[in-house]
Amino acid sequence: QSALTQPASVSGSPGQSITISCTGTSSDVDNYNLVSWYQQAPGKAPKLIVYEVTKRPSGVSNRFSGSKSGNTASLTISGLQAEDEADYYCCSYAGRDTFLLFGGGTKLTVL
Amino acid sequence: QITLKESGPTVVKPTQTLTLTCTCSGFSLSTGGVGVTWIRQPPGKALEWLALIYWNDDKRYSPSLKSRLTITKDTSKNQVVLTMTSMDPLDTGTYYCAHTIFGEFPLQYGIDVWGQGTTVTVSS
């Protein structure tokens, strides 16, 4: 099973909104509402920012929002801040055999 | 407060077996729904899921690495151990253990707490 597909990089200016896509297949993203997103600052462990496609853990800013349409999930960050500059990874449950897939990661640059 | 900490060798030789330990605190590995998973990240590359073990000893492995991986837990020590055989330089990277919960669905609430990671270099 291949990794989920994300753009290698995105960028935006402070205050703007950006969206990161995550494309899977009918066996993973499209078949389960079990997509999660992780933010990874340089040299740090990943941090959960969205789970079950749209839900945010306690303490995560409401500037982060998730959605899904068919086999593509998306993470939108509104009101970009310098501190949002990081790598972002999507992840999807993929059934009993493959189980879990990560995306290739997207580097967000805040201009 | 849930915390996880990885430990193990920093350098292994090619063909050797890697053994990593994840010491968990703030939760019990025997509590219903609890899972611990291992994920790795080669330098400058993406996250890759490796294996997961649940409270009931149910185990899942990455299909591409299944033949090389074994995940076990020691409930008395609240530790999870991952072994990976036939190590290769391509296995170099940071290895993370992390906490998850099986709610109504697997990983329903995501991988919510991560360890700091441990760096493993495979070199002769």
Side-chain angles (χ1 to χ4, degrees):
Chain A
Q1 193 85 359
S2 300
L4 307 175
T5 300
Q6 298 180 233
S9 63
V10 297
S11 63
S13 299
Q16 287 185 332
S17 294
I18 63 95
T19 296
I20 299 171
S21 62
C22 169
T23 301
T25 70
S26 58
S27 298
D28 38 71
V29 174
D30 195 15
N31 202 31
Y32 305 98
N33 288 323
L34 294 170
V35 175
S36 52
W37 289 88
Y38 301 86
Q39 177 192 59
Q40 187 179 31
K44 301 292 187 182
K47 172 189 173 184
L48 176 67
I49 55 174
V50 169
Y51 66 96
E52 278 192 272
V53 179
T54 62
K55 299 178 181 178
R56 283 186 307 275
S58 173
V60 172
S61 171
N62 59 9
R63 296 186 300 105
F64 295 91
S65 62
S67 62
K68 190 184 85 165
S69 178
N71 66 349
T72 299
S74 299
L75 174 72
T76 297
I77 309 174
S78 59
L80 269 181
Q81 300 178 0
E83 67 200 48
D84 299 332
E85 190 160 286
D87 293 326
Y88 291 84
Y89 292 91
C90 63
C91 178
S92 176
Y93 178 67
R96 184 177 177 87
D97 294 329
T98 300
F99 198 74
L100 201 65
L101 292 171
F102 278 97
T106 298
K107 182 177 181 60
L108 169 62
T109 301
V110 181
L111 302 170
Chain B
Q1 179 191 3
I2 290 175
T3 64
L4 304 96
K5 186 167 186 177
E6 307 87 351
S7 59
T10 56
V11 180
V12 296
K13 295 185 186 324
T15 75
Q16 285 187 337
T17 294
L18 171 69
T19 300
L20 296 174
T21 301
C22 177
T23 300
C24 308
S25 62
F27 68 99
S28 171
L29 292 172
S30 59
T31 298
V34 165
V36 172
T37 190
W38 285 92
I39 294 142
R40 71 177 179 179
Q41 185 172 36
K45 296 192 175 181
L47 301 170
E48 179 183 17
W49 176 73
L50 299 177
L52 177 147
I53 189 166
Y54 281 122
W55 81 102
N56 60 0
D57 218 37
D58 190 17
K59 302 167 186 178
R60 295 286 181 266
Y61 295 101
S62 165
S64 62
L65 293 167
K66 185 175 183 177
S67 63
R68 299 174 53 203
L69 295 173
T70 303
I71 191 169
T72 59
K73 62 179 174 68
D74 183 333
T75 304
S76 66
K77 295 181 180 178
N78 224 36
Q79 292 178 330
V80 173
V81 174
L82 181 75
T83 61
M84 180 180 288
T85 61
S86 305
M87 292 294 285
D88 180 272
L90 290 174
D91 297 313
T92 293
T94 300
Y95 287 72
Y96 297 98
C97 66
H99 172 272
T100 186
I101 291 287
F102 189 122
E104 188 177 348
F105 307 103
L107 294 102
Q108 180 176 359
Y109 306 105
I111 303 168
D112 57 350
V113 183
W114 295 62
Q116 64 188 22
T118 187
T119 300
V120 177
T121 300
V122 184
S123 173
S124 55

